Tab-separated table of all heavy atoms in Angstrom:
chain	number	residue	atom	x	y	z
A	132	VAL	N	9.483	-14.868	2.202
A	132	VAL	CA	10.246	-14.562	1.085
A	132	VAL	C	11.642	-14.669	1.575
A	132	VAL	O	12.066	-14.596	2.697
A	132	VAL	CB	9.956	-13.241	0.511
A	132	VAL	CG1	8.604	-13.040	-0.072
A	132	VAL	CG2	10.232	-12.134	1.705
A	133	GLU	N	12.543	-15.078	0.688
A	133	GLU	CA	13.957	-15.263	0.908
A	133	GLU	C	14.832	-14.443	0.002
A	133	GLU	O	14.569	-14.208	-1.131
A	133	GLU	CB	14.282	-16.725	0.956
A	133	GLU	CG	14.212	-17.329	-0.471
A	133	GLU	CD	14.854	-18.699	-0.491
A	133	GLU	OE1	15.863	-18.909	0.062
A	133	GLU	OE2	14.174	-19.701	-1.151
A	134	SER	N	15.979	-14.140	0.545
A	134	SER	CA	17.124	-13.587	-0.246
A	134	SER	C	18.297	-14.476	-0.039
A	134	SER	O	18.249	-15.477	0.799
A	134	SER	CB	17.389	-12.050	0.154
A	134	SER	OG	17.842	-12.069	1.445
A	135	GLU	N	19.465	-14.093	-0.595
A	135	GLU	CA	20.617	-15.000	-0.545
A	135	GLU	C	21.106	-15.117	0.962
A	135	GLU	O	21.376	-16.179	1.392
A	135	GLU	CB	21.760	-14.363	-1.336
A	135	GLU	CG	23.110	-15.164	-1.228
A	135	GLU	CD	24.113	-14.619	-2.086
A	135	GLU	OE1	23.889	-13.741	-2.864
A	135	GLU	OE2	25.262	-15.112	-2.002
A	136	GLU	N	20.934	-13.873	1.645
A	136	GLU	CA	21.439	-13.951	3.174
A	136	GLU	C	20.264	-14.156	4.141
A	136	GLU	O	20.633	-14.652	5.193
A	136	GLU	CB	22.217	-12.640	3.471
A	136	GLU	CG	23.327	-12.483	2.630
A	136	GLU	CD	24.603	-13.415	3.036
A	136	GLU	OE1	24.504	-13.940	4.174
A	136	GLU	OE2	25.498	-13.496	2.281
A	137	SER	N	19.119	-13.935	3.772
A	137	SER	CA	18.048	-13.763	4.778
A	137	SER	C	16.778	-14.496	4.425
A	137	SER	O	16.497	-14.835	3.246
A	137	SER	CB	17.683	-12.353	4.972
A	137	SER	OG	18.832	-11.525	5.258
A	138	ILE	N	15.976	-14.980	5.428
A	138	ILE	CA	14.693	-15.308	5.367
A	138	ILE	C	13.779	-14.375	6.043
A	138	ILE	O	14.048	-13.984	7.215
A	138	ILE	CB	14.510	-16.765	5.866
A	138	ILE	CG1	13.051	-17.324	5.684
A	138	ILE	CG2	14.877	-16.845	7.405
A	138	ILE	CD1	12.679	-17.481	4.277
A	139	PHE	N	12.634	-14.054	5.400
A	139	PHE	CA	11.636	-13.018	6.029
A	139	PHE	C	10.321	-13.802	6.067
A	139	PHE	O	9.754	-14.231	5.159
A	139	PHE	CB	11.584	-11.843	5.004
A	139	PHE	CG	12.868	-11.061	4.810
A	139	PHE	CD1	13.575	-11.473	3.746
A	139	PHE	CD2	13.208	-10.035	5.453
A	139	PHE	CE1	14.832	-10.891	3.423
A	139	PHE	CE2	14.447	-9.354	5.320
A	139	PHE	CZ	15.155	-9.772	4.180
A	140	ILE	N	9.782	-13.795	7.379
A	140	ILE	CA	8.621	-14.547	7.568
A	140	ILE	C	7.554	-13.737	8.101
A	140	ILE	O	7.808	-12.892	9.009
A	140	ILE	CB	8.878	-15.661	8.687
A	140	ILE	CG1	9.901	-16.711	8.121
A	140	ILE	CG2	7.529	-16.247	9.076
A	140	ILE	CD1	10.328	-17.733	9.251
A	141	ILE	N	6.394	-13.622	7.339
A	141	ILE	CA	5.299	-12.789	7.689
A	141	ILE	C	4.227	-13.484	8.356
A	141	ILE	O	3.733	-14.457	7.652
A	141	ILE	CB	4.739	-12.022	6.361
A	141	ILE	CG1	5.818	-10.931	5.933
A	141	ILE	CG2	3.521	-11.304	6.737
A	141	ILE	CD1	7.060	-11.524	5.067
A	142	LEU	N	3.868	-13.248	9.524
A	142	LEU	CA	2.819	-13.991	10.180
A	142	LEU	C	1.505	-13.117	10.318
A	142	LEU	O	1.565	-11.883	10.100
A	142	LEU	CB	3.264	-14.363	11.631
A	142	LEU	CG	4.410	-15.286	11.661
A	142	LEU	CD1	4.835	-15.417	13.179
A	142	LEU	CD2	4.027	-16.689	11.094
A	143	ASP	N	0.461	-13.736	10.711
A	143	ASP	CA	-0.930	-13.056	10.823
A	143	ASP	C	-1.157	-12.965	12.270
A	143	ASP	O	-1.409	-13.949	12.906
A	143	ASP	CB	-2.026	-13.937	10.036
A	143	ASP	CG	-3.370	-13.207	10.291
A	143	ASP	OD1	-3.380	-12.117	10.890
A	143	ASP	OD2	-4.329	-13.839	9.710
Side-chain angles (χ1 to χ4, degrees):
V132 293
E133 63 169 318
S134 66
E135 183 176 351
E136 296 291 341
S137 308
I138 181 70
F139 303 88
I140 296 173
I141 291 79
L142 295 175
D143 177 2

